[in-house]
């Protein structure tokens, strides 16, 4: 320790002017230095040896040290090394002062972290100029550092607040920064990512994208990617990778990961909403179609009644005329045949007209408690002869526990008769007509279009009648038209086309439904569903009021 | 043997003619045609038939109304009548006549055999 004067300032932080520590073991030198800087805008400290210099530096943190090399107890190189070792003193700038004018010494000093070198004997103005220059550099560096820290702060704020995950890769391909969103999306904490290669933590697609961006120096990405996360779950993300590069340096990259799961949820919700809208729209259309259909049926019914009435009188005239001629005249063989043909044609015409009238009349029901099984039996009796002739076998499985309910027995019989005839005509010859009835909960798969329309729901207790044939089935194009009045695939004269239309209307009047579909194994199935009890929606039974009331208006009142 | 009298009321002349020819051809009936419903009652008083066939739907006066008036007329109320109509169908009447609410119905187009069967039934022959 020396007795050289030591100047200290009570609060170094308060001092705005740069603080310079002057270190020399020779007091005369110290004085020269002091005087060359005194009076300028510096705070000056002095030390007369290495130990004192270190102590003052640690305590007062000068900005700059003018450091003599040749000192007896500890030379300037050692002082500089210790300053640079100390965490608090490492950034203090050091300018060496020495009589040594050896290039090797200068280099050694600079290698130790000194910023400059002044050779003794020095001119005070040179010292002042160099100190001023270095203080300016220091100030600028400090400002730059501060600005840098501010920028980093802003950057971090931006990155932290971003919804997108951001991962920065340096030129070596190591993760240099990562934001919280990236941690969340990847499911990995920052410490598992930082300073690691992409290959160490990223799934293959991410690695490849990052590699492409760096190697080809272009922006790449995927609009949608199922990201496999660390915990094995997957997350839909949008991925972008952009190169970060100076012209020739190896490229780093920034990866941007956008979590799409929320968007997907919103999209799914939108889809559901739009599906629901579509369904409502379809239901509305179906309802409209039904209304149109109902209006059509009603007008057809009215027309049918009118036509039937108008045609019946001429038919009656021809019929009675023919009967009369047969009575009063004699005929040869050919004429007899002609008369027979005419009689047959008349009866055919009458059948058609009767169908028309049935159609217009079908809204009046005469309801009495009965079983579908009885109606099936009775209808079968009417076609059994023809079935036998056509070599068509009949199998029946009619459950005994089918509950009785209110039916119009005649009309129900007409329904089954129609269906049996259709099945028979479809099979023509050699087949099996299988009839099954039972009572139980309705299965979802059994819900045909008409059943839905009639308001049946899965699980409803239903009386079920299935009529299967093994004919050629129904042309898919025809299925939707099967129940249209006047739609027929039969040969001319074989059917009026009113059969299934009348059938469905009768079933509907009973609150039931009938759907016809092709069976997977071939042939067609008619499935009829009835509720075990007559619902209030069913029309009131109508007695013989139909006699004096024109059929079409009777129909209208039952709408 | 006096022939039974039958009055035919239908707005279709060709039809009443055919009915008449068939009935007369049996040689057992005297038949008169009337093509206006509103004339039916007057014809009945003049002709004094044993049986009247009434068409239900006629433009001026329906057969059902004619029947009502017949029943209310003390001179005519014992005359038997049957409706011959296109409104009921053969499925409803079956073959031959149908009794609905006590009335007899014959569905057009009626055959000669059916016609004669109903006549015999109503006239008790």
């Amino acid at each position: 320790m020396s007795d050289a004067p030591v100047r200290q300032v009570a609060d170094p932080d308060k001092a705005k002017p740069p603080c310079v520590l002057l270190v020399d073991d020779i007091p005369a030198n110290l004085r020269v230095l002091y005087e060359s800087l005194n009076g300028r805008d510096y705070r000056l400290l002095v030390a007369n040896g290495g130990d004192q210099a270190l102590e003052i530096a640690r305590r007062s943190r000068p900005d700059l040290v003018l450091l003599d090399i040749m000192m007896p107890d500890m030379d300037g190189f050692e002082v500089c090394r210790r300053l640079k070792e100390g965490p608090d003193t490492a950034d203090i700038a050091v300018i060496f002062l020495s009589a040594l004018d050896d290039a090797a010494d200068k280099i050694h000093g600079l290698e130790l972290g000194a910023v400059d070198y002044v050779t003794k004997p020095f001119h005070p103005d040179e010292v002042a100029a160099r100190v001023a220059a270095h203080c300016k550099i220091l100030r600028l560096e400090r400002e730059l550092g501060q600005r840098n820290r501010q920028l980093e702060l802003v950057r971090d704020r931006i990155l932290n607040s971003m919804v997108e995950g951001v991962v920065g890769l340096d030129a070596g391909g190591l993760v240099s920064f990562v934001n919280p969103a990236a941690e969340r999306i990847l499911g990995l904490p920052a410490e598992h990512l930082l300073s690691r290669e992409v290959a160490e933590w990223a799934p293959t697609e991410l690695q490849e994208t990052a590699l492409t961006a760096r190697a080809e120096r272009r922006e790449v990405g995927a609009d949608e990617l199922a990201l496999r996360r660390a915990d094995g779950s997957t997350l839909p993300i949008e991925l972008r990778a952009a190169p970060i590069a100076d012209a020739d340096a190896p490229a780093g990259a920034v990866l941007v990961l956008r979590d799409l799961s929320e968007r997907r949820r919103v999209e799914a919700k939108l889809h559901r909403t739009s599906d629901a809208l579509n369904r409502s729209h379809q239901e509305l259309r179906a309802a409209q179609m039904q209304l149109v259909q109902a209006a059509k049926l009603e007008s057809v019914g009215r027309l049918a009644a009118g036509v039937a009435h108008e045609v019946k009188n001429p038919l009656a005239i021809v019929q009675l005329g023919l009967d009369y001629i047969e009575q009063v005249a004699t005929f040869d063989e050919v004429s007899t045949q002609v008369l027979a043909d005419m009689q047959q044609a008349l009866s055919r015409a009458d059948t058609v007209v009767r169908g028309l009238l049935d159609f217009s009349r079908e809204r009046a029901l005469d309801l009495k408690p009965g079983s579908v099984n009885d109606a099936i039996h009775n209808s079968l009796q009417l076609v059994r002869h023809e079935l036998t002739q056509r070599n068509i076998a009949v199998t029946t499985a009619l459950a005994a526990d089918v509950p009785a309910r209110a039916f119009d027995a005649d009309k129900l019989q007409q329904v089954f008769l129609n269906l049996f005839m259709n099945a028979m005509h479809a099979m023509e010859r050699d087949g099996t007509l299988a009839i099954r009835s039972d009572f139980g909960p309705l299965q979802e798969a059994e819900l045909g279009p008409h059943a839905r329309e009639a308001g049946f729901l899965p699980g409803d207790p239903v009386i079920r009648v299935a009529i299967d044939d093994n004919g050629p089935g129904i042309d898919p194009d025809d299925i939707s038209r099967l129940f249209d009045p006047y739609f027929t695939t039969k040969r001319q004269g074989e059917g009026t086309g009113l059969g299934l239309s009348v059938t469905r209307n009768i079933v509907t009047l009973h609150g039931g439904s009938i759907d016809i579909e092709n069976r997977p194994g071939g042939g067609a199935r008619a499935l009829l569903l009835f509720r075990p009890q007559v619902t209030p929606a069913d029309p009131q039974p109508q007695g013989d009021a139909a006699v004096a009331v024109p059929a079409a208006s009777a129909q209208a009142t039952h709408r | 043997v006096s022939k039974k009298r039958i009055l035919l009321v239908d707005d279709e002349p060709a039809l009443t003619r055919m009915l008449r020819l068939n009935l007369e051809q049996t040689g057992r009936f005297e038949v008169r045609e009337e093509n206006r419903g509103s004339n039916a009652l007057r014809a009945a008083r003049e002709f004094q038939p044993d049986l009247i066939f009434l068409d239900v739907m006629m433009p001026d006066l329906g057969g059902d109304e004619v029947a009502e008036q017949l029943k209310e007329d003390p001179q005519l109320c014992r005359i038997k009548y049957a409706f011959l109509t296109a409104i009921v169908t053969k499925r409803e009447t079956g073959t031959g006549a149908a009794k609905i609410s006590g009335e007899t119905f014959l569905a057009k187009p009626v055959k000669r055999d059916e016609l004669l069967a109903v006549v015999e039934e109503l006239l008790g022959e």
Side-chain angles (χ1 to χ4, degrees), chain A residues 343-363:
Chain A
Q343 287 283 11
Q344 214 175 345
L346 263 177
S347 116
R348 218 167 76 194
D350 184 37
T351 307
V352 174
V353 170
R354 197 186 334 165
L356 279 168
L357 214 58
D358 280 346
F359 174 76
S360 65
R361 177 70 62 71
E362 67 220 9
R363 275 154 216 285

Side-chain angles (χ1 to χ4, degrees), chain A residues 309 312-313 315-317 319-321 323-324 327-328 343 350 354 357-358 361 414 544 546-549, chain B residues 12 14-15 18-19 21-22 25 57 64 86-92 100-101 105 108-112:
Chain A
H309 186 250
K312 281 192 167 204
N313 271 336
L315 279 181
I317 294 163
Q319 179 69 61
L320 288 165
D323 289 347
Y324 176 73
Q327 288 298 316
V328 299
Q343 287 283 11
D350 184 37
R354 197 186 334 165
L357 214 58
D358 280 346
R361 177 70 62 71
Q414 194 187 343
D544 45 21
V547 172
V549 183
Chain B
E12 184 87 49
L15 183 63
M18 291 307 159
L19 287 166
L21 287 173
N22 275 289
Q25 195 272 332
M57 287 178 75
D64 48 340
I87 286 177
V88 293
T89 67
K90 289 213 173 159
R91 199 175 52 74
E92 284 161 317
I100 304 172
S101 300
F105 286 87
K108 292 179 184 175
V110 65
K111 287 181 195 289
R112 172 189 167 98

Side-chain angles (χ1 to χ4, degrees), chain A residues 198-218:
Chain A
V198 180
E200 290 179 67
W201 51 267
T204 325
E205 309 95 312
L206 218 79
Q207 290 179 33
E208 284 169 0
T209 307
L211 195 71
T212 309
R214 291 178 57 217
E216 300 178 14
R217 291 164 178 266
R218 63 185 177 90

